[in-house]
Coordinates of all heavy atoms in Angstrom, one line a residue:
M1 N -28.7 10.1 2.0 CA -27.3 9.9 1.7 C -26.6 11.2 2.1 O -26.9 12.3 1.6 CB -27.1 9.5 0.3 CG -25.6 9.4 -0.1 SD -25.4 9.1 -1.8 CE -24.2 7.8 -1.7
S2 N -25.5 11.1 2.8 CA -24.8 12.3 3.2 C -23.7 12.6 2.2 O -23.0 11.7 1.7 CB -24.1 12.0 4.6 OG -23.2 13.1 4.9
T3 N -23.6 13.9 1.9 CA -22.5 14.3 0.9 C -21.2 14.7 1.6 O -20.3 15.0 1.0 CB -23.0 15.4 0.0 OG1 -23.4 16.5 0.9 CG2 -24.2 15.0 -0.8
S4 N -21.2 14.7 2.9 CA -20.1 15.1 3.7 C -19.1 13.9 3.9 O -18.0 14.1 4.3 CB -20.4 15.7 5.0 OG -21.1 14.7 5.8
N5 N -19.5 12.7 3.7 CA -18.6 11.6 3.8 C -17.7 11.5 2.7 O -18.1 11.5 1.5 CB -19.4 10.3 4.0 CG -20.2 10.2 5.2 OD1 -19.9 10.9 6.2 ND2 -21.3 9.5 5.2
P6 N -16.3 11.4 2.9 CA -15.4 11.3 1.8 C -15.5 9.9 1.1 O -15.9 8.9 1.7 CB -14.0 11.4 2.5 CG -14.3 11.0 3.9 CD -15.7 11.4 4.2
T7 N -15.1 9.9 -0.1 CA -15.1 8.7 -0.9 C -13.8 7.9 -0.5 O -12.7 8.4 -0.4 CB -15.0 9.0 -2.4 OG1 -16.1 9.8 -2.7 CG2 -15.0 7.7 -3.2
P8 N -13.9 6.6 -0.2 CA -12.8 5.8 0.2 C -11.7 5.8 -0.8 O -12.0 5.9 -2.0 CB -13.4 4.4 0.4 CG -14.8 4.6 0.7 CD -15.2 5.8 -0.1
E9 N -10.5 5.7 -0.4 CA -9.3 5.7 -1.3 C -9.4 4.7 -2.4 O -9.0 5.0 -3.5 CB -8.1 5.5 -0.4 CG -6.8 5.4 -1.2 CD -5.6 5.2 -0.2 OE1 -5.7 5.6 0.9 OE2 -4.7 4.5 -0.7
N10 N -9.9 3.5 -2.1 CA -9.8 2.5 -3.1 C -11.1 2.4 -3.9 O -11.3 1.4 -4.7 CB -9.5 1.1 -2.4 CG -10.6 0.8 -1.4 OD1 -11.4 1.6 -1.1 ND2 -10.5 -0.4 -0.9
S11 N -12.0 3.4 -3.9 CA -13.2 3.3 -4.6 C -13.0 3.8 -6.0 O -12.1 4.6 -6.3 CB -14.3 4.1 -4.0 OG -14.1 5.5 -4.2
I12 N -13.8 3.4 -6.9 CA -13.8 3.8 -8.3 C -14.0 5.3 -8.4 O -13.3 6.0 -9.2 CB -14.8 3.1 -9.2 CG1 -14.4 1.6 -9.2 CG2 -14.9 3.6 -10.6 CD1 -15.5 0.7 -9.9
A13 N -14.9 5.9 -7.6 CA -15.2 7.3 -7.7 C -13.9 8.1 -7.4 O -13.7 9.1 -8.0 CB -16.3 7.7 -6.7
S14 N -13.2 7.8 -6.4 CA -12.0 8.6 -6.1 C -10.9 8.5 -7.2 O -10.2 9.4 -7.4 CB -11.4 8.1 -4.7 OG -10.8 6.8 -4.8
E15 N -10.9 7.4 -7.9 CA -9.9 7.2 -9.0 C -10.3 8.1 -10.1 O -9.4 8.7 -10.8 CB -9.8 5.8 -9.5 CG -9.2 4.8 -8.5 CD -9.3 3.4 -8.9 OE1 -9.5 3.2 -10.1 OE2 -9.2 2.5 -8.0
Q16 N -11.6 8.4 -10.3 CA -12.0 9.2 -11.5 C -12.0 10.7 -11.1 O -12.0 11.5 -12.0 CB -13.4 8.8 -11.9 CG -13.5 7.4 -12.4 CD -14.9 6.9 -12.7 OE1 -15.8 7.5 -12.2 NE2 -15.0 5.8 -13.3
T17 N -12.0 11.0 -9.9 CA -12.0 12.4 -9.5 C -10.8 13.2 -9.9 O -10.8 14.2 -10.6 CB -12.2 12.6 -8.0 OG1 -13.4 11.9 -7.6 CG2 -12.3 14.0 -7.6
D18 N -9.6 12.7 -9.6 CA -8.4 13.3 -9.9 C -7.3 12.3 -9.8 O -7.1 11.8 -8.7 CB -8.1 14.5 -9.1 CG -6.9 15.4 -9.6 OD1 -6.1 14.8 -10.3 OD2 -6.9 16.6 -9.3
H19 N -6.6 12.0 -10.8 CA -5.6 10.9 -10.7 C -4.3 11.3 -10.0 O -3.4 10.5 -9.8 CB -5.3 10.4 -12.1 CG -6.5 9.8 -12.8 ND1 -7.0 8.6 -12.4 CD2 -7.3 10.2 -13.8 CE1 -8.0 8.3 -13.2 NE2 -8.2 9.3 -14.0
R20 N -4.2 12.5 -9.6 CA -3.0 13.0 -8.9 C -3.2 13.3 -7.5 O -2.3 13.5 -6.7 CB -2.4 14.2 -9.6 CG -1.8 13.9 -11.0 CD -0.7 12.9 -10.8 NE 0.0 12.8 -12.1 CZ 1.2 12.2 -12.2 NH1 1.8 11.8 -11.1 NH2 1.8 12.2 -13.3
I21 N -4.4 13.5 -7.0 CA -4.7 13.7 -5.6 C -5.4 12.5 -5.1 O -6.4 12.0 -5.6 CB -5.7 14.9 -5.5 CG1 -5.0 16.2 -5.9 CG2 -6.1 15.0 -4.0 CD1 -5.9 17.4 -5.9
T22 N -4.7 11.9 -4.1 CA -5.2 10.6 -3.6 C -5.6 10.7 -2.1 O -5.1 11.6 -1.4 CB -4.1 9.5 -3.7 OG1 -3.0 9.9 -3.0 CG2 -3.8 9.3 -5.2
G23 N -6.5 9.9 -1.7 CA -7.0 9.9 -0.3 C -8.4 9.6 -0.2 O -9.1 9.5 -1.2
P24 N -9.0 9.5 0.9 CA -8.2 9.7 2.2 C -7.3 8.5 2.5 O -7.7 7.4 2.3 CB -9.3 9.9 3.2 CG -10.5 9.1 2.7 CD -10.4 9.2 1.2
H25 N -6.2 8.9 3.0 CA -5.2 7.9 3.5 C -5.4 7.8 5.0 O -5.7 8.9 5.7 CB -3.8 8.2 3.2 CG -3.5 8.3 1.7 ND1 -3.4 7.2 0.9 CD2 -3.5 9.4 0.9 CE1 -3.2 7.7 -0.3 NE2 -3.2 9.0 -0.3
F26 N -5.3 6.7 5.6 CA -5.6 6.5 7.1 C -4.3 6.3 7.8 O -3.5 5.3 7.4 CB -6.6 5.4 7.3 CG -7.9 5.6 6.7 CD1 -8.1 5.0 5.4 CD2 -8.8 6.4 7.2 CE1 -9.3 5.3 4.8 CE2 -10.0 6.6 6.6 CZ -10.3 6.1 5.3
E27 N -3.9 7.1 8.8 CA -2.7 6.8 9.6 C -3.0 5.6 10.4 O -4.1 5.3 10.8 CB -2.4 8.0 10.4 CG -1.9 9.2 9.6 CD -1.6 10.4 10.5 OE1 -2.3 10.7 11.5 OE2 -0.6 11.0 10.2
P28 N -1.9 4.8 10.7 CA -2.1 3.6 11.5 C -2.5 4.0 12.9 O -2.2 5.1 13.4 CB -0.7 3.0 11.6 CG 0.3 4.0 11.0 CD -0.5 5.0 10.3
P29 N -3.3 3.2 13.6 CA -3.8 3.5 14.9 C -2.7 3.7 16.0 O -2.9 4.2 17.0 CB -4.7 2.3 15.3 CG -4.5 1.3 14.2 CD -3.8 1.9 13.1
T30 N -1.5 3.2 15.7 CA -0.4 3.4 16.6 C 0.1 4.8 16.6 O 0.9 5.2 17.5 CB 0.8 2.4 16.2 OG1 1.2 2.7 14.9 CG2 0.4 1.0 16.4
V31 N -0.3 5.7 15.6 CA 0.2 7.1 15.6 C -0.7 7.9 16.6 O -1.9 7.8 16.5 CB 0.0 7.6 14.2 CG1 0.3 9.1 14.1 CG2 0.9 6.9 13.2
A32 N -0.1 8.6 17.4 CA -0.9 9.5 18.3 C -1.7 10.5 17.5 O -1.2 11.1 16.6 CB 0.1 10.2 19.3
N33 N -2.9 10.6 17.9 CA -3.9 11.5 17.2 C -4.0 11.2 15.7 O -4.0 12.1 14.9 CB -3.4 13.0 17.4 CG -3.4 13.4 18.8 OD1 -4.3 13.1 19.6 ND2 -2.4 14.2 19.2
A34 N -4.0 9.9 15.4 CA -4.2 9.5 14.0 C -5.3 10.1 13.3 O -6.4 10.4 13.9 CB -4.3 8.0 14.0
T35 N -5.2 10.5 12.1 CA -6.2 11.1 11.3 C -6.2 10.6 9.9 O -5.4 9.8 9.5 CB -6.0 12.7 11.4 OG1 -7.1 13.3 10.8 CG2 -4.7 13.1 10.7
T36 N -7.0 11.2 9.0 CA -6.9 10.9 7.6 C -6.3 12.1 6.9 O -6.3 13.2 7.4 CB -8.3 10.7 7.0 OG1 -9.1 11.9 7.3 CG2 -9.0 9.5 7.6
Y37 N -5.7 11.8 5.7 CA -5.1 12.9 5.0 C -5.1 12.6 3.5 O -5.4 11.5 3.1 CB -3.6 13.1 5.4 CG -2.7 11.9 5.2 CD1 -2.0 11.8 4.1 CD2 -2.7 10.9 6.2 CE1 -1.2 10.7 3.9 CE2 -1.9 9.8 6.0 CZ -1.1 9.7 4.8 OH -0.3 8.6 4.6
W38 N -4.9 13.6 2.7 CA -4.9 13.5 1.2 C -3.5 13.9 0.8 O -2.8 14.6 1.4 CB -5.9 14.5 0.6 CG -7.3 14.0 0.7 CD1 -8.0 13.3 -0.2 CD2 -8.1 14.0 1.9 NE1 -9.3 13.0 0.2 CE2 -9.4 13.4 1.5 CE3 -8.0 14.5 3.2 CZ2 -10.4 13.3 2.4 CZ3 -9.1 14.4 4.1 CH2 -10.2 13.8 3.7
R39 N -3.1 13.4 -0.4 CA -1.7 13.6 -0.9 C -1.7 13.9 -2.4 O -2.5 13.3 -3.1 CB -0.9 12.3 -0.7 CG 0.5 12.4 -1.3 CD 1.2 11.0 -1.1 NE 1.3 10.6 0.2 CZ 1.0 9.4 0.7 NH1 0.5 8.5 -0.2 NH2 1.1 9.1 1.9
C40 N -0.9 14.8 -2.8 CA -0.6 15.1 -4.2 C 0.5 14.2 -4.6 O 1.6 14.3 -4.1 CB -0.3 16.6 -4.4 SG 0.3 16.9 -6.1
T41 N 0.3 13.3 -5.5 CA 1.3 12.4 -6.0 C 2.4 13.1 -6.8 O 3.5 12.5 -6.9 CB 0.7 11.2 -6.7 OG1 0.0 11.7 -7.9 CG2 -0.2 10.4 -5.8
A42 N 2.1 14.2 -7.4 CA 3.1 14.9 -8.2 C 4.1 15.6 -7.4 O 5.3 15.6 -7.7 CB 2.4 15.9 -9.1
C43 N 3.7 16.3 -6.2 CA 4.7 17.0 -5.4 C 4.9 16.4 -4.0 O 5.7 17.0 -3.2 CB 4.4 18.5 -5.4 SG 2.9 18.9 -4.5
S44 N 4.1 15.4 -3.7 CA 4.2 14.7 -2.4 C 3.8 15.5 -1.2 O 4.1 15.1 -0.1 CB 5.6 14.1 -2.2 OG 6.0 13.2 -3.2
R45 N 3.1 16.6 -1.4 CA 2.6 17.4 -0.3 C 1.3 16.7 0.2 O 0.5 16.2 -0.6 CB 2.4 18.8 -0.7 CG 3.7 19.5 -1.0 CD 3.6 20.9 -0.9 NE 5.0 21.5 -1.0 CZ 5.2 22.8 -1.2 NH1 4.2 23.6 -1.3 NH2 6.4 23.2 -1.4
E46 N 1.1 16.8 1.5 CA -0.1 16.2 2.2 C -0.8 17.2 3.0 O -0.2 18.2 3.5 CB 0.4 15.0 3.1 CG 1.1 14.0 2.3 CD 1.7 12.9 3.2 OE1 1.8 13.1 4.4 OE2 2.0 11.8 2.7
S47 N -2.1 17.0 3.2 CA -2.9 17.8 4.1 C -4.1 17.0 4.7 O -4.6 16.1 4.0 CB -3.5 19.0 3.3 OG -4.3 19.8 4.2
I48 N -4.5 17.4 5.9 CA -5.7 16.8 6.5 C -7.0 17.3 5.9 O -8.0 16.8 6.1 CB -5.7 16.8 8.0 CG1 -5.7 18.3 8.5 CG2 -4.5 16.1 8.6 CD1 -5.9 18.4 10.0
R49 N -6.9 18.4 5.1 CA -8.0 19.1 4.5 C -7.9 18.9 3.0 O -7.0 19.5 2.4 CB -8.1 20.5 4.9 CG -8.4 20.8 6.3 CD -8.5 22.3 6.6 NE -7.4 23.0 6.1 CZ -6.4 23.5 6.8 NH1 -6.3 23.2 8.1 NH2 -5.5 24.2 6.3
E50 N -8.8 18.1 2.4 CA -8.8 17.9 1.0 C -8.8 19.1 0.2 O -8.1 19.2 -0.9 CB -10.0 17.0 0.6 CG -10.0 16.6 -0.9 CD -11.1 15.7 -1.2 OE1 -12.0 15.5 -0.4 OE2 -11.1 15.2 -2.4
Q51 N -9.6 20.1 0.6 CA -9.7 21.4 -0.2 C -8.3 22.1 -0.4 O -8.2 22.8 -1.3 CB -10.7 22.3 0.4 CG -10.4 22.8 1.8 CD -11.0 22.0 2.9 OE1 -11.3 20.8 2.7 NE2 -11.2 22.6 4.0
D52 N -7.4 21.9 0.5 CA -6.0 22.5 0.4 C -5.4 22.0 -0.9 O -4.7 22.8 -1.6 CB -5.1 22.1 1.5 CG -5.4 22.8 2.8 OD1 -6.2 23.7 2.8 OD2 -4.9 22.3 3.9
L53 N -5.6 20.8 -1.3 CA -5.0 20.3 -2.5 C -5.6 20.8 -3.8 O -5.0 20.6 -4.9 CB -5.0 18.8 -2.5 CG -3.9 18.2 -1.6 CD1 -4.4 18.0 -0.2 CD2 -3.4 16.8 -2.2
H54 N -6.7 21.6 -3.7 CA -7.3 22.2 -4.9 C -6.9 23.7 -5.0 O -7.6 24.4 -5.7 CB -8.8 22.0 -4.8 CG -9.2 20.5 -4.9 ND1 -9.1 19.8 -6.0 CD2 -9.5 19.7 -3.9 CE1 -9.5 18.5 -5.7 NE2 -9.7 18.4 -4.5
R55 N -5.9 24.1 -4.2 CA -5.4 25.5 -4.3 C -4.0 25.4 -4.9 O -3.2 24.7 -4.4 CB -5.4 26.1 -2.9 CG -6.7 26.4 -2.2 CD -6.6 27.1 -0.9 NE -5.8 26.3 0.1 CZ -4.6 26.7 0.5 NH1 -4.1 27.8 0.1 NH2 -4.0 26.0 1.4
E56 N -3.8 26.3 -5.9 CA -2.5 26.3 -6.6 C -1.4 26.6 -5.6 O -0.3 26.0 -5.7 CB -2.6 27.3 -7.7 CG -1.3 27.3 -8.5 CD -1.4 28.3 -9.7 OE1 -2.5 28.9 -9.9 OE2 -0.4 28.5 -10.4
A57 N -1.6 27.5 -4.7 CA -0.5 27.9 -3.7 C -0.1 26.8 -2.8 O 1.0 26.8 -2.3 CB -1.0 29.1 -2.9
F58 N -0.9 25.8 -2.6 CA -0.5 24.6 -1.8 C 0.6 23.8 -2.3 O 1.4 23.3 -1.6 CB -1.8 23.8 -1.5 CG -1.5 22.5 -0.7 CD1 -1.4 22.6 0.6 CD2 -1.2 21.3 -1.3 CE1 -1.1 21.4 1.4 CE2 -1.0 20.2 -0.6 CZ -0.9 20.2 0.8
H59 N 0.6 23.6 -3.6 CA 1.6 22.7 -4.3 C 3.0 23.3 -4.4 O 3.2 24.5 -4.4 CB 1.0 22.3 -5.7 CG -0.3 21.6 -5.6 ND1 -0.4 20.3 -5.4 CD2 -1.6 22.1 -5.6 CE1 -1.6 19.9 -5.4 NE2 -2.4 21.0 -5.5
A60 N 3.9 22.4 -4.6 CA 5.3 22.8 -4.8 C 5.5 23.5 -6.1 O 4.6 23.3 -7.0 CB 6.2 21.6 -4.8
E61 N 6.5 24.3 -6.3 CA 6.8 25.0 -7.5 C 6.9 24.0 -8.7 O 7.5 22.9 -8.5 CB 8.1 25.8 -7.4 CG 8.3 26.7 -8.6 CD 9.6 27.6 -8.3 OE1 9.9 27.9 -7.2 OE2 10.2 27.9 -9.3
K62 N 6.3 24.3 -9.8 CA 6.4 23.4 -11.0 C 5.6 22.1 -10.8 O 5.8 21.1 -11.5 CB 7.8 23.1 -11.4 CG 8.6 24.4 -11.8 CD 10.0 24.1 -12.3 CE 10.7 25.4 -12.5 NZ 12.1 25.2 -13.0
C63 N 4.7 22.0 -9.9 CA 3.9 20.8 -9.7 C 2.8 20.8 -10.8 O 2.1 21.8 -11.0 CB 3.2 20.8 -8.3 SG 2.0 19.5 -8.1
E64 N 2.7 19.7 -11.5 CA 1.8 19.7 -12.7 C 0.3 19.7 -12.2 O -0.6 20.1 -13.0 CB 2.0 18.4 -13.5 CG 1.9 17.1 -12.8 CD 2.3 15.9 -13.6 OE1 3.5 15.9 -14.0 OE2 1.5 15.1 -13.9
V65 N 0.0 19.3 -11.0 CA -1.3 19.4 -10.5 C -1.7 20.8 -10.2 O -2.9 21.2 -10.4 CB -1.5 18.5 -9.2 CG1 -2.9 18.7 -8.6 CG2 -1.3 17.0 -9.6
A66 N -0.8 21.6 -9.8 CA -1.1 23.0 -9.5 C -1.6 23.7 -10.7 O -2.5 24.6 -10.6 CB 0.1 23.7 -8.9
D67 N -1.2 23.3 -11.9 CA -1.7 24.0 -13.1 C -3.1 23.7 -13.4 O -3.8 24.5 -14.1 CB -0.9 23.4 -14.3 CG 0.6 23.8 -14.2 OD1 0.9 24.8 -13.5 OD2 1.4 23.1 -14.9
R68 N -3.7 22.7 -12.8 CA -5.1 22.4 -13.0 C -6.0 22.9 -11.9 O -7.2 22.7 -11.9 CB -5.3 20.8 -13.0 CG -4.6 20.3 -14.3 CD -4.9 18.8 -14.4 NE -3.8 18.1 -13.6 CZ -4.0 16.8 -13.1 NH1 -5.1 16.2 -13.3 NH2 -3.0 16.3 -12.5
C69 N -5.5 23.6 -10.9 CA -6.3 24.1 -9.8 C -7.0 25.4 -10.2 O -6.6 26.1 -11.0 CB -5.4 24.4 -8.6 SG -4.7 23.0 -7.8

């Protein structure tokens, strides 16, 4: 089993990991260079690298998720 594969957005595991960071979200195939991304639901910031959302500096000022990084 590979540990590098991300947990799908709608899986139980992703819901239990962090209730404020969601993903991976998949861009529609009509988007040029479509990719997957993760989103902070508290400050609405997004990144194609999940680890970015686990850094306090990534989040907006006063983001409640940033306090848990």
Side-chain angles (χ1 to χ4, degrees):
M1 174 184 227
S2 173
T3 58
S4 64
N5 292 334
T7 304
E9 175 181 330
N10 59 354
S11 77
I12 293 171
S14 67
E15 291 174 22
Q16 294 173 348
T17 303
D18 192 334
H19 296 289
R20 292 296 191 166
I21 295 174
T22 61
H25 300 282
F26 303 95
E27 292 181 319
T30 56
V31 173
N33 299 320
T35 188
T36 58
Y37 61 95
W38 284 260
R39 177 184 302 129
C40 173
T41 58
C43 66
S44 300
R45 293 201 175 168
E46 301 173 343
S47 178
I48 60 171
R49 294 183 309 259
E50 182 180 12
Q51 64 270 23
D52 286 348
L53 281 86
H54 297 283
R55 292 184 300 112
E56 185 176 355
F58 175 82
H59 298 273
E61 189 176 332
K62 299 183 182 178
C63 174
E64 62 188 63
V65 173
D67 295 338
R68 294 185 271 157
C69 292

